[in-house]
Amino acid sequence: MDATQPRLTSLAHGGGCGCKLDPAILRGLLADQPMGGPFERLLVGNETSDDAAVWALDDRTCLIATTDFFMPMVDDPHDFGRIAATNAISDVYAMGGRPILALAILGMPVGKIAPETVAAILKGGASICAEAGIPVAGGHSIDTPEPIYGLAVIGTCPREHVRRNRDAKAGDALILTKPLGVGIYSAAIKKEALPTGGYAEFIASTTLLNRVGAVLAEDPDLHAMTDVTGFGLLGHGLEVARGAGLGLLIEADKVPLLPKAAALARDGFVTGASHRNWTAFGESVALPEGFPDWRRHLLTDPQTSGGLLVSCEPEAAESILARIWQAGHPTAAIIGRVEEGPARIRVLANG
């Protein structure tokens, strides 16, 4: 990075999926918005908290459409572009689809960032799209006070492979495909306090495509799927619970974490979004007695380009987990189950 240029993160008041609106505020904003309306081909709209819209092209094939963009959580422009693109494409995979093209969304503070920096952001995003096998077919750019980048992504999916976050069944096993701690690492990055090796761990996780979702969706034993992003594991888990009208049990000791996440959380590297998340939905979560705040923050930590939360038949959980490992997600783990009861989350822990 050019030393004469300001740090990208210094130009933004937030970064990554931590930029999301407070979930309580978002629910209020959407409460009075019209639903999808009487469109027979609109299979998934804004009536639920799914990751993307789904439109039936015919009786066999669906179109999946999504958009995601945010402000930088890292200072390297190429890495920022890669992370933002990976995150945006994830929504298609989370619905069981495969991406076919992307459009760039770009907002830059003209005069504050060098053109070369902006070009590096775009190249970073394009490199991930190339890895996913799709073109960046166009886009739109504006002058904004803070740097913003992301994608609108279009994908396709056989109708029977569409996976929603509301179709979990009582008794299902819950699998998380990526470790938590991205927001905590981001807080340390912003304060230039991330330990040696941490940045490589951070980039490896946030730029790993969730393409395994499209493969898993072919399995009828997989009932529901969503990606874990700005509302953290508990927030997106609650979306699954509320959609299905069931409870979730999460075993905190089994939840995978980035290697330095627990230590950083103990040292107070927590994002404001983690606090907002807990305030918004904490009343729907039952924590063990004496559960420390730093562990709670791991569960509400906003993930950028996080993993998939999968709900599947318990008998199939081990074989599905093995397929996830083989697809390049070695830390994926079975972290709990779906259970009868109100749409809440119970957290268990041994210590």
Side-chain angles (χ1 to χ4, degrees), residues 66-90:
T66 184
T67 183
D68 212 318
F69 50 89
F70 46 62
M71 293 169 284
M73 59 195 305
V74 295
D75 292 314
D76 184 288
H78 192 263
D79 285 344
F80 171 39
R82 293 171 67 212
I83 294 167
T86 308
N87 179 75
I89 296 170
S90 178

Side-chain angles (χ1 to χ4, degrees), residues 79-291:
D79 285 344
F80 171 39
R82 293 171 67 212
I83 294 167
T86 308
N87 179 75
I89 296 170
S90 178
D91 287 340
V92 171
Y93 293 132
M95 299 300 295
R98 300 178 189 274
I100 58 173
L101 66 85
L103 303 172
I105 298 167
L106 179 70
M108 288 293 141
V110 176
K112 293 182 180 179
I113 295 181
E116 295 81 7
T117 299
V118 180
I121 294 170
L122 295 173
K123 288 179 181 177
S127 71
I128 290 294
C129 289
E131 186 178 332
I134 64 173
V136 180
H140 187 64
S141 61
I142 60 172
D143 184 358
T144 53
E146 298 177 291
I148 297 169
Y149 175 69
L151 300 174
V153 187
I154 303 298
T156 60
C157 182
R159 191 162 181 164
E160 67 272 19
H161 293 172
V162 173
R163 291 294 182 269
R164 306 188 63 170
N165 65 7
R166 71 176 191 180
D167 293 329
K169 298 181 180 180
D172 275 2
L174 296 172
I175 299 173
L176 182 63
T177 65
K178 283 188 186 182
L180 302 181
V182 170
I184 289 165
Y185 272 48
S186 179
I189 289 171
K190 201 155 190 176
K191 295 180 181 179
E192 299 183 300
L194 189 63
T196 302
Y199 190 76
E201 295 162 0
F202 174 87
I203 293 298
S205 182
T206 55
T207 60
L208 176 60
L209 287 163
N210 282 328
R211 66 172 92 229
V212 68
V215 177
L216 297 178
E218 298 173 1
D219 190 336
D221 286 328
L222 188 146
H223 300 144
M225 187 161 54
T226 191
D227 61 350
V228 177
T229 54
F231 300 151
L233 175 61
L234 293 183
H236 292 286
L238 272 171
E239 291 177 342
V240 172
R242 289 167 176 163
L246 296 166
L248 302 188
L249 182 143
I250 291 177
E251 299 181 62
D253 300 328
K254 295 182 178 180
V255 174
L257 304 173
L258 288 171
K260 299 169 180 61
L264 287 168
R266 285 193 193 97
D267 291 339
F269 290 96
V270 175
T271 68
S274 179
H275 291 284
R276 292 196 302 272
N277 285 343
W278 181 251
T279 299
F281 52 68
E283 62 184 17
S284 297
V285 178
L287 296 175
E289 185 176 353
F291 198 68

